[in-house]
Amino acid sequence: MSDFHRQESAPSDRVREKAREKVREKARDKLIARLKSAGIRDPRVLDAMAATPRDFFVDDVMRHRSYEDRALPIGFGQTISQPLIVALMTEALMVKKPRRVLEIGTGSGYQTAILARLIDLVFSVERIEALAIVAEQRMTALGLTNVQLRHGDGHLGWRFEGPFDGIIVTAGADEIPEALMNQLSDGGRLVIPVGEGDVKELKVLDRIGDAWQQSTIEYVRFVPLKEGVQ
Ligand code: SAH
């Protein structure tokens, strides 16, 4: 293509990109309105979600659905979590104003990126290497430098970097992994979908010395927390 043609095509590309950005903004506003009407109140959480482009965390074929309040496939039989569940879990975690948080199940990196806007240091473990690699690229592209990712089995937590004052598990566990309880600081909070069967209890566990206080905030479906790495 000649330089003349290249210059000719540039303005229309810009116009198209601007139009796309408008559509994205509208869809994002609608999603935030939905989260509010579903009971999400914490302005920090709503702001972090509004500032995080979910379309960036899904494959091209799913992009047109990225602002629906649904889980969407991200490959390898995994999903990017439903925004309302992300908001609920983040809101529960933020009650304790944590500074160092461990996430188990990086997946697309969407929840990780939201946490990175709210918390000083975010650590996240993913068992599928290919997902961990793409998530790392996304963090770099978004300039989120307060995130550390690792390919590994989240059942073991991240002992070297612990203890954490918040831990969030974004895959459904049959039972609460002991290592995660051990790596939570005194006064810290663990948010985890747990239980037998497909529908899990979204539990909040607060550590007070050697005692634990538990509550259930919701019943949810999650892809399973699996043993080992892939
Ligand atoms: N927060 C992610 C959720 C992805 S789905 C997002 O919104 O995109 C859950 C993720 O947990 C999957 O990527 C799955 O591979 C991962 N996972 C399952 N078991 C795991 C384990 N034992 N350790 C680390 N990650 C695990």
Side-chain angles (χ1 to χ4, degrees):
M1 201 195 286
S2 72
D3 279 352
F4 172 76
H5 278 103
R6 220 172 270 143
Q7 277 168 13
E8 276 294 282
S9 68
S12 71
D13 281 354
R14 271 205 302 275
V15 168
R16 219 170 303 151
E17 187 44 45
K18 260 199 156 162
R20 257 188 233 130
E21 185 53 38
K22 270 247 149 65
V23 171
R24 232 178 273 154
E25 262 171 37
K26 253 192 144 167
R28 230 187 283 178
D29 289 351
K30 211 171 137 189
L31 176 61
I32 299 303
R34 176 174 156 75
L35 298 178
K36 281 185 189 160
S37 72
I40 305 301
R41 292 274 169 272
D42 187 336
R44 295 169 301 175
V45 174
L46 292 166
D47 286 351
M49 292 194 65
T52 305
R54 193 168 185 248
D55 55 281
F56 192 67
F57 293 87
V58 297
D59 295 335
D60 286 347
V61 286
M62 280 293 147
R63 198 137 296 161
H64 64 292
R65 299 188 57 190
S66 42
Y67 292 96
E68 290 178 17
D69 188 23
R70 287 169 182 271
L72 298 170
I74 55 170
F76 307 92
Q78 307 305 317
T79 56
I80 178 171
S81 302
Q82 183 189 343
L84 179 57
I85 304 300
V86 171
L88 272 174
M89 293 177 80
T90 310
E91 196 170 55
L93 196 71
M94 288 307 290
V95 168
K96 297 284 178 178
K97 299 194 172 66
R99 301 192 55 196
R100 289 167 62 84
V101 162
L102 173 67
E103 176 194 27
I104 305 301
T106 318
S108 67
Y110 178 59
Q111 169 81 73
T112 323
I114 290 165
L115 292 173
R117 293 185 189 276
L118 294 165
I119 292 157
D120 289 352
L121 271 178
V122 180
F123 300 86
S124 186
V125 181
E126 170 56 54
R127 69 177 284 277
I128 300 177
E129 190 170 23
L131 289 176
I133 290 170
V134 174
E136 179 95 58
Q137 290 166 351
R138 288 178 177 145
M139 299 303 130
T140 307
L142 290 174
L144 301 172
T145 53
N146 57 336
V147 176
Q148 283 189 50
L149 302 184
R150 196 167 81 98
H151 173 229
D153 184 348
H155 282 96
L156 307 173
W158 194 333
R159 208 160 69 116
F160 184 74
E161 294 292 353
F164 304 95
D165 32 38
I167 300 180
I168 178 171
V169 181
T170 64
D174 291 337
E175 45 191 49
I176 299 169
E178 212 182 304
L180 299 186
M181 294 179 78
N182 292 335
Q183 289 171 29
L184 194 70
S185 337
D186 191 5
R189 173 168 277 197
L190 168 65
V191 182
I192 181 169
V194 64
E196 284 164 21
D198 279 356
V199 179
K200 308 288 186 192
E201 279 183 62
L202 187 50
K203 277 196 178 174
V204 169
L205 284 97
D206 289 331
R207 179 178 206 151
I208 309 125
D210 287 332
W212 293 83
Q213 215 165 49
Q214 277 198 43
S215 58
T216 298
I217 49 177
E218 190 53 278
Y219 289 85
V220 287
R221 275 175 200 277
F222 263 95
V223 293
L225 186 72
K226 289 189 180 167
E227 300 278 347
V229 294
Q230 179 180 322

